[in-house]
Amino acid sequence: RYESYNTHQSTDQIEENAAFNRQEITTGLTWKMSPGTALKADYQWFKNSGSDQAAHQVNMGVGIWFN
């Protein structure tokens, strides 16, 4: 998934901050272990217009559906 957003696009009486103009890429996998149970993992790249360096993040989770 690709996201591009600027939470500082229009500001009143303060100067726009390029660090709030952000881009994110997220990719991930879900393994359905059994009906109602899943393991999830994703990897994210974060970048903003105020920096030349990108940040990275790994997320993991367990999903359980109770009937």
Side-chain angles (χ1 to χ4, degrees):
R1 176 174 75 203
Y2 174 77
E3 297 179 55
S4 178
Y5 55 92
N6 186 354
T7 59
H8 219 234
Q9 184 173 354
S10 63
T11 56
D12 293 333
Q13 301 176 0
I14 58 174
E15 190 173 325
E16 184 176 337
N17 186 341
F20 292 101
N21 186 2
R22 301 176 179 168
Q23 297 82 38
E24 296 181 16
I25 297 174
T26 304
T27 185
L29 298 169
T30 300
W31 175 40
K32 294 185 179 179
M33 299 170 45
S34 63
T37 307
L39 290 177
K40 301 176 69 82
D42 62 30
Y43 190 79
Q44 293 181 302
W45 292 268
F46 300 98
K47 184 159 179 5
N48 68 55
S49 296
S51 173
D52 290 335
Q53 295 183 338
H56 307 271
Q57 178 173 304
V58 175
N59 303 306
M60 295 184 191
V62 177
I64 299 173
W65 179 339
F66 297 98
N67 284 333

